[in-house]
Amino acid sequence: MNNSIISRIGLLGLGAIGKRVYEALSTRYLPNARFAAIDPHGHASDFVRTHQIQLCSDTEDLARWKPDLVIECAGHDAVATSVPVLLKNGISVVIASIGALAEQPLRQHLEAAAETGAAKLILVSGAIGGLDALRSARTAGLDSVVYVGRKPPRAWLGSPAEERFDLEAIKEATTIFRGTAAEASVKFPKNANVTAAVALSGLGFDATQVELIADPAVDRNVHEVEAAGPFGSINVRLANNPLPDNPRTSWLAALSIEEAVSKQLLNVIF
Ligand SMILES: NC(=O)c1ccc[n+]([C@@H]2O[C@H](COP(=O)([O-])OP(=O)(O)OC[C@H]3O[C@@H](n4cnc5c(N)ncnc54)[C@H](O)[C@@H]3O)[C@@H](O)[C@H]2O)c1
C-alpha cells in the first residue's frame, strides 16, 4: 500500500480518538482523501455534519463505499461485529480496541476473515510502548513478561478493586490485582487494550503476568513492561496524559493510530 492507493478512509467510531485521528489525517497525512463513517448511536452527528464525512447507514453500506482502509476506534463490540465483515470484503482494518482479541474464538474468526478477504488486520500499540523490542526478543525466547499498571486510587472506582479496598482511603501504593493477562482482561476490561497489546507481543494471555496498583503518588496512568530472556532484559515505563476530550483515553492511543496509518504511506518502514 502506498499514499496513492489510500484515498478513501472509513472510520468506525468518531469519539475522542476518532475525531482526533480524522483531524490529523485530513489535514496532515491525507489532505486529498475522502472519509466515510458509521455512527450507530448518533453521538457524532454534529461532527459528521460539519466535516467532509460521508455517513454510511451500517457496516455493509461502508463496505460498499469501498474504503482503502478502515480505522476502528469504537470499542470491542465493533471489533466483533463490523471488523470481520470488512475484512471478508477485502478491506484492511486498523484496530484500536485490541483488547477484544483476548477472546481466542474472536481472534481466530478475525484471522479467518482476513485470509478470506486477503486483507490485513493492523493492530496498534495504543497507550503502551516497547512492543517492538518485546516482539524482537521473543524470537530468542522470553523467560518472563510482566505488565504493571499504576493509576491514582480514584481511577480504579467502578472496577472489582472497589469490593476489596476502600480506594478513597489508600495512602500508599497498593496492589489491587495480581494474575495472568487472561484473568485481567476479564476482571479489568478498561485495562484490556494495553494488557492485550503486551500479551500478543510477548508470551500470550496465559503466561503474561499482570499487576495493577492503586498509587496515590501518581497523577497519570502509568504503564510498565518488564521482560527478561536470553536476549537480556526490557524495562519500559510510560506516564500518559489523557486526551482533552476523554479523560479515560491516553493521548498516545490516538497518536499510535496516526503513526500506524502514516506507516502504510511510507516506502521505507521503520
Ligand atoms: N489500544 C489502546 O491502548 C486504547 C486506548 C484507548 C482506547 N482504546 C479503544 O478505542 C476505543 C475508542 O476510544 P475513545 O476514547 O475514542 O472512546 P469514545 O467513547 O470517546 O468514542 C467511541 C465512539 O464510538 C462510537 N461507537 C460505539 N460502537 C460503535 C460501533 N459499533 N460502530 C461505530 N461507532 C461506534 C460511540 O458512539 C462513540 O462515539 C475504546 O473503546 C477502546 O476500546 C484503545
Side-chain angles (χ1 to χ4, degrees):
M1 231 185 286
N2 63 41
N3 201 347
S4 60
I5 60 166
I6 299 188
S7 60
R8 297 167 77 83
I9 299 270
L11 297 164
L12 291 177
L14 274 171
I17 293 184
K19 286 177 184 156
R20 212 189 149 84
V21 166
Y22 167 79
E23 306 272 10
L25 297 182
S26 61
T27 57
R28 200 166 342 136
Y29 298 106
L30 292 164
N32 299 318
R34 294 174 63 195
F35 292 83
I38 58 172
D39 182 29
H41 311 110
H43 292 157
S45 42
D46 286 349
F47 192 82
V48 169
R49 240 194 323 276
T50 52
H51 293 79
Q52 303 281 325
I53 300 171
Q54 163 92 34
L55 188 62
C56 295
S57 54
D58 54 24
T59 312
E60 286 74 15
D61 195 24
L62 179 62
R64 281 193 294 274
W65 186 76
K66 297 204 178 301
D68 300 315
L69 186 71
V70 167
I71 300 166
E72 175 283 321
C73 32
H76 295 187
D77 282 354
V79 177
T81 55
S82 295
V83 175
V85 175
L86 296 164
L87 292 170
K88 274 187 209 152
N89 277 281
I91 300 161
S92 293
V93 187
V94 173
I95 66 163
S97 304
I98 178 173
L101 305 188
E103 284 178 39
Q104 200 186 3
L106 177 58
R107 218 157 62 226
Q108 287 167 341
H109 183 47
L110 290 165
E111 281 167 15
E115 196 173 325
T116 304
K120 283 187 198 154
L121 181 65
I122 300 161
L123 313 182
V124 299
S125 51
I128 192 92
L131 304 180
D132 52 346
L134 199 52
R135 286 193 292 269
S136 304
R138 80 173 158 191
T139 317
L142 286 163
D143 297 331
S144 65
V145 179
V146 183
Y147 161 74
V148 181
R150 211 175 272 271
K151 294 183 188 178
R154 282 187 60 80
W156 296 108
L157 290 171
S159 78
E162 220 174 359
E163 291 153 27
R164 292 184 43 227
F165 299 92
D166 179 358
L167 291 166
E168 307 269 13
I170 286 181
K171 296 278 180 287
E172 59 188 38
T174 304
T175 297
I176 54 153
F177 171 83
R178 196 178 268 129
T180 65
E183 292 160 350
S185 54
V186 174
K187 291 188 177 156
F188 292 85
K190 287 182 188 158
N191 256 68
N193 291 311
V194 279
T195 310
V198 175
L200 290 167
S201 301
L203 283 176
F205 287 88
D206 292 326
T208 301
Q209 293 302 306
V210 172
E211 183 177 4
L212 303 176
I213 299 174
D215 188 346
V218 300
D219 58 1
R220 289 179 283 178
N221 290 351
V222 176
H223 304 289
E224 288 163 288
V225 181
E226 292 160 16
F231 73 96
S233 63
I234 293 173
N235 201 317
V236 175
R237 184 179 196 272
L238 296 97
N240 288 345
N241 283 329
L243 263 179
D245 286 355
N246 186 347
R248 294 190 319 276
T249 289
S250 294
W251 194 326
L252 193 64
L255 295 170
S256 81
I257 298 177
E258 293 165 29
E259 199 268 344
V261 175
S262 67
K263 207 182 243 176
Q264 305 297 318
L265 310 176
L266 301 173
N267 294 323
V268 178
I269 296 183
F270 179 57

